[in-house]
Amino acid sequence: MQSAKRPKKVGTWQAVGGLVAHFRRQAGLTQEQFAEIANLHIDTIRSIEQGRLALQGHRAKEFDELLHTGGVLFALVDKLPVRERMPAFAQGLADIEETAVSILSYETQMIPGLLQTEDYCRASFASRFPRFEDETEEQWVSSRMERQKIWQRKQPPFGHFILEESILRTALGGPEVMRAQIRKLRDACDLVHMGIQIMPMGRVPHAGLAGPMLLLETADHEHAVYLEVQRASFLVDDPHEVSVYQLKYGMLRSQALSPEESACVLERLLGES
C-alpha cells in the first residue's frame, strides 16, 4: 500500500515570491521581460519568485510600481515580523532577542551585530566568503539593523558585551568606518542599560578560548545560549548546559578590563585614529 505524500511546507518567502510571480503573469510579462524593466539579473527574479531570496521593502515598492499592484507587495513585506526577514537558522535567536530582558555577548572576531554601525555591518558581509548575491547581502544588513531596534524599547534589555581587543584594532571597512564604530561603542558605555568590557590581548588565563557566545534571558526568566561557528549555529536551552556557559561568562567578566578601563581604551583608540 502506497503511503500518502506529506504536503510540502510553504515558507513565508515562497508565498511572497508566488505572489510576485502571479502579479508578473497578470501583467503579461515573462521573467526575462520583468528582469529587464526592473533592471535586475534574471537569476534575482527567479530567486525572489522561488522564495530563495527575500523581497526587501525598497524592492517591493519598485515591483508595486512596475506591476501596478497598488502597493500590495510593500504592504505585505512591511508587516512581516523581524524574524521572517532573517535567515532560517537565526530566526530562533530573533524571537528571543525581541523579548529578552538581558543579553550577554562575548565576541572574538567582530563587533557584535547588536552594536554595529550600518557601514561596519556592510563591510563585514562584503568580507564574507563565498560572496553573497548583492540582494542577499542587503537583506542581511537590513535584518541586522532591524534587530537593533530592541534598544529603542520603552524598557530595553540589559546588554553586556565583552570584546577581544584585537577586534578594535582591525580596521574593517577602513579607518573612517572603524572610527565611527568605536565612537558608537564609546557612546554605548554611558548608557545605563549597557555595559562594555574589553579583553586585552595576551590575557591569561582566559575562559573564552573555545569561542564566542551569546547568553539570553527572557521575560519569563528562561535562559538560552546562542552559539555560531562558520556556517552552523545552535540555540541551547538545556539548563545544565546553559549553566556552564553562564559560569564561563562570569569568569570572562572578571578577566576583562573593567567598564571604566574599557571606556578609556576606546577613547585612546579614537585619539589614535
Side-chain angles (χ1 to χ4, degrees):
M1 181 177 178
Q2 188 175 4
S3 59
K5 293 183 178 179
R6 292 182 179 180
K8 184 177 180 181
K9 184 178 180 181
V10 177
T12 299
W13 293 113
Q14 287 176 296
V16 172
L19 192 59
V20 171
H22 168 74
F23 285 138
R24 172 182 57 75
R25 288 191 292 266
Q26 287 289 100
L29 298 171
T30 65
Q31 287 183 331
E32 290 78 6
Q33 290 170 331
F34 186 42
E36 184 175 354
I37 65 172
N39 196 28
L40 293 172
H41 194 281
I42 179 63
D43 288 341
T44 299
I45 297 298
R46 288 170 179 159
S47 294
I48 290 174
E49 291 191 357
Q50 293 169 12
R52 293 185 288 109
L53 186 62
L55 180 62
Q56 296 300 299
H58 72 284
R59 190 68 70 198
K61 288 182 179 179
E62 293 174 7
F63 284 12
D64 279 326
E65 292 177 4
L66 294 172
L67 299 173
H68 307 290
T69 53
V72 170
L73 293 173
F74 176 75
L76 174 60
V77 170
D78 188 52
K79 294 299 182 183
L80 290 176
V82 173
R83 76 182 304 273
E84 293 292 351
R85 306 177 199 178
M86 301 182 69
F89 75 83
Q91 288 179 358
L93 170 63
D95 282 343
I96 299 177
E97 281 181 348
E98 285 185 355
T99 58
V101 295
S102 75
I103 298 173
L104 313 179
S105 172
Y106 165 62
E107 282 293 339
T108 61
Q109 298 294 326
M110 288 196 309
I111 303 296
L114 289 174
L115 294 179
Q116 291 178 0
T117 65
E118 186 169 342
D119 286 339
Y120 183 96
C121 179
R122 185 167 284 107
S124 73
F125 286 126
S127 300
R128 191 182 178 96
F129 184 84
R131 291 293 302 273
F132 284 127
E133 296 177 30
D134 290 343
E135 291 280 321
T136 308
E137 182 177 312
E138 285 305 309
Q139 172 189 345
W140 281 57
V141 172
S142 176
S143 296
R144 186 162 291 177
M145 294 300 103
E146 283 284 330
R147 285 171 55 205
Q148 293 187 13
K149 290 183 178 180
I150 62 172
W151 306 122
Q152 300 172 18
R153 284 170 14 196
K154 186 175 181 180
Q155 289 187 315
F158 170 70
H160 186 274
F161 301 84
I162 302 174
L163 314 178
E164 289 291 334
E165 183 182 357
S166 56
I167 297 173
L168 306 173
R169 298 189 179 278
T170 302
L172 185 61
E176 291 306 312
V177 169
M178 199 64 206
R179 181 179 178 81
Q181 178 62 73
I182 293 174
R183 169 53 60 190
K184 181 171 183 174
L185 294 177
R186 178 60 189 88
D187 291 343
C189 292
D190 295 331
L191 300 175
V192 295
H193 61 274
M194 196 82 73
I196 294 177
Q197 290 182 251
I198 296 171
M199 183 68 75
M201 292 187 291
R203 176 58 56 92
V204 289
H206 192 309
L209 297 180
M213 66 184 91
L214 183 66
L215 286 71
L216 305 110
E217 180 182 358
T218 71
D220 295 325
H221 304 297
E222 297 175 339
H223 297 265
V225 178
Y226 179 77
L227 306 172
E228 188 173 343
V229 182
Q230 295 292 335
R231 293 171 61 85
S233 63
F234 311 89
L235 194 60
V236 181
D237 59 6
D238 178 81
H240 297 292
E241 284 295 311
V242 172
S243 178
V244 173
Y245 289 103
Q246 289 174 331
L247 291 172
K248 281 178 173 286
Y249 197 87
M251 182 58 72
L252 284 168
R253 291 180 77 160
S254 71
Q255 294 169 341
L257 298 177
S258 70
E260 294 77 15
E261 293 170 329
S262 298
C264 289
V265 169
L266 294 172
E267 290 171 359
R268 286 199 298 270
L269 288 172
L270 285 171
E272 293 172 5
S273 54

